[in-house]
Amino acid sequence: MARTKHKKVAEVNSLPNVYSRRIQGSLEELKIRISDANDVTLELACGNGEYTTGLAEMYPEKFFIGVDRKSNRIWRGAKTVAENNLTNAAFLISYIEKVELIFQEPKVTNIWIPFPEPYPMHGHRKKRVIHPRYLTIYKRLMKPGGVMHLKTDSEHLYNYAKKICGLMGLAILKTVPDLRNYPELTPEEKIMTRFESDHLRDGRKIYYISFLLDNFDSTKIPKYE
């Protein structure tokens, strides 16, 4: 297992569509690609990058970036991008907190977060990637009208997202408490990740919520969010 992981890490770092502070000059190159793009979508905690690759195939005129802190996780997605010559997709090895360093201006129109760690304990809530401290970062990256998308098998995280939207006055666009039994899914919502497939096989529900950050104000975060 360790040998396979190390092999994937070495291969990922050699792929032209992968960017990291450890790869000399790569972040500057990614900044240029973002600057040249009119429409950027991020997939955060992307793992295999099913949304990055799937959306890149759907929308060749847009630019998609999958972000994950572990290089071995993005191996499959980065290989798919290279094998299919998807010139409008890339992967960034980074913590989410550092992503804004590669943006010189708001460029993001959509952020997808599929199946993040839910951190159900209240004391760990600040680790949730939809906690207001993360939304503060996303707000700085997004164009007006930019949309947040969360997919999760955690009812707790789904309800927390709805709670945050209510507390912060954020406009909710869509809530689906059982995605696979919902009759009107968009092509984007139909994209299936490995985690989603596993969860469905186990009989779990998939929850989905999308919302806007236009009204988000980081100076008005409730004390007991």
Side-chain angles (χ1 to χ4, degrees):
M1 180 68 73
R3 184 176 299 175
T4 300
K5 178 180 177 180
H6 292 153
K7 183 178 179 180
K8 287 182 177 180
V9 169
E11 186 173 7
V12 159
N13 289 334
S14 69
L15 293 172
N17 51 58
V18 175
Y19 299 87
S20 166
R21 63 179 178 81
R22 296 183 179 180
I23 303 174
Q24 186 174 4
S26 73
L27 293 186
E28 292 305 315
E29 180 183 334
L30 182 56
K31 287 180 182 179
I32 293 172
R33 294 188 69 182
I34 291 172
S35 179
D36 291 341
N38 292 319
D39 189 318
V40 177
T41 291
L42 299 178
E43 181 189 7
L44 302 180
C46 68
N48 289 340
E50 290 95 343
Y51 263 88
T52 300
T53 56
L55 292 171
E57 291 175 346
M58 289 181 186
Y59 302 105
E61 75 283 4
K62 300 180 181 181
F63 187 38
F64 301 89
I65 306 173
V67 181
D68 203 293
R69 65 186 180 89
K70 294 290 186 72
S71 53
N72 62 296
R73 291 177 185 166
I74 67 170
W75 175 82
R76 180 62 269 165
K79 287 279 288 182
T80 298
V81 167
E83 291 165 356
N84 295 343
N85 194 30
L86 296 174
T87 58
N88 62 327
F91 286 90
L92 173 64
I93 303 168
S94 173
Y95 287 93
I96 291 174
E97 296 91 332
K98 302 291 186 181
V99 170
E100 63 180 319
L101 297 178
I102 61 171
F103 284 83
Q104 298 174 335
E105 60 181 305
K107 285 276 189 172
V108 177
T109 56
N110 288 273
I111 293 178
W112 284 86
I113 310 179
F115 303 95
E117 177 65 45
Y119 293 106
M121 293 181 62
H122 183 70
H124 293 165
R125 66 193 183 283
K126 290 186 178 181
K127 294 183 178 181
R128 299 169 190 161
V129 291
I130 54 167
H131 184 275
R133 80 182 185 97
Y134 282 102
L135 298 183
T136 299
I137 297 171
Y138 309 153
K139 170 72 171 181
R140 291 196 288 262
L141 301 177
M142 297 188 91
K143 291 182 175 182
V147 182
M148 295 290 307
H149 307 264
L150 172 70
K151 263 188 179 183
T152 179
D153 65 312
S154 168
E155 184 178 11
H156 182 274
L157 188 62
Y158 170 70
N159 287 332
Y160 178 76
K162 291 194 294 182
K163 174 185 174 182
I164 290 298
C165 287
L167 289 173
M168 302 295 297
L170 307 180
I172 294 176
L173 301 178
K174 188 174 185 178
T175 58
V176 183
D178 188 357
L179 195 67
R180 289 304 149 192
N181 288 317
Y182 189 76
E184 299 177 3
L185 295 180
T186 66
E188 296 88 347
E189 292 161 3
K190 290 179 181 178
I191 292 175
M192 183 83 67
T193 72
R194 179 177 65 83
F195 285 113
E196 186 170 358
S197 179
D198 290 344
H199 295 329
L200 289 172
R201 192 181 305 114
D202 292 340
R204 301 182 189 178
K205 285 184 178 181
I206 305 301
Y207 303 87
Y208 169 80
I209 181 172
S210 59
F211 57 94
L212 302 177
L213 288 181
D214 289 354
N215 294 333
F216 182 81
D217 185 345
S218 61
T219 67
K220 297 181 179 179
I221 297 174
K223 184 176 181 180
Y224 300 105
E225 82 296 332

